[in-house]
Amino acid sequence: MTHVLMRLLKLISNAQTSFNRSTIADAFNASISDYLESIKNNATTNGMSDSQIILKDVENAMVSYIDDMLVAYASAQLKVAEFTTSVPTLVHVVRIGSRGNITAGANITVLIILLMIAEAIHIRG
């Protein structure tokens, strides 16, 4: 399983990389940035250096990536084996706000879009 997961990481890094961008590096950078924001005011991290925080986040990101890959791999195996079960679905529709507020919000949104289109035509793109 370790070999399969490392191969998947290699395939992602090879297939999703261009001359200018690396998908995995972008994901790591976004994850580090999000983690730094989430712990900015956390008292438990006051004694941690920046490198310790980054290493902790890389650990969290790798755990997340591996978890997602395991779910994808297991889902693919179930699909290949054609294990399917029909399950009844129950959908609840929740409307927040009154019908008038929803209609007003939709109308304002449409008006803004129309104004943007008119301005784009006015300034020729």
Side-chain angles (χ1 to χ4, degrees):
M1 204 60 182
T2 304
H3 174 72
V4 170
L5 293 172
M6 292 301 108
R7 185 168 180 271
L8 284 172
L9 272 175
K10 178 184 172 191
L11 289 173
I12 291 169
S13 67
N14 288 339
Q16 301 279 329
T17 301
S18 69
F19 289 118
N20 300 320
R21 307 295 294 188
S22 168
T23 303
I24 291 181
D26 288 345
F28 273 123
N29 286 334
S31 181
I32 290 168
S33 175
D34 292 344
Y35 185 68
L36 287 172
E37 283 297 317
S38 72
I39 64 168
K40 189 179 268 184
N41 296 322
N42 191 349
T44 61
T45 59
N46 286 341
M48 293 176 71
S49 68
D50 286 344
S51 61
Q52 289 173 320
I53 291 171
I54 290 171
L55 286 175
K56 181 65 177 168
D57 182 62
V58 169
E59 176 189 346
N60 292 340
M62 285 303 297
V63 167
S64 176
Y65 299 153
I66 297 296
D67 186 47
D68 289 346
M69 283 188 249
L70 287 171
V71 169
Y73 189 70
S75 298
Q77 294 299 314
L78 291 173
K79 182 66 177 168
V80 168
E82 296 183 10
F83 289 137
T84 59
T85 304
S86 296
V87 178
T89 304
L90 179 62
V91 177
H92 292 283
V93 177
V94 178
R95 184 175 70 192
I96 299 175
S98 66
R99 184 173 298 276
N101 289 341
I102 294 170
T103 305
N107 289 337
I108 291 170
T109 303
V110 169
L111 178 65
I112 291 170
I113 291 170
L114 291 174
L115 289 172
M116 288 177 59
I117 291 171
E119 185 61 24
I121 292 170
H122 178 257
I123 63 170
R124 295 184 179 101

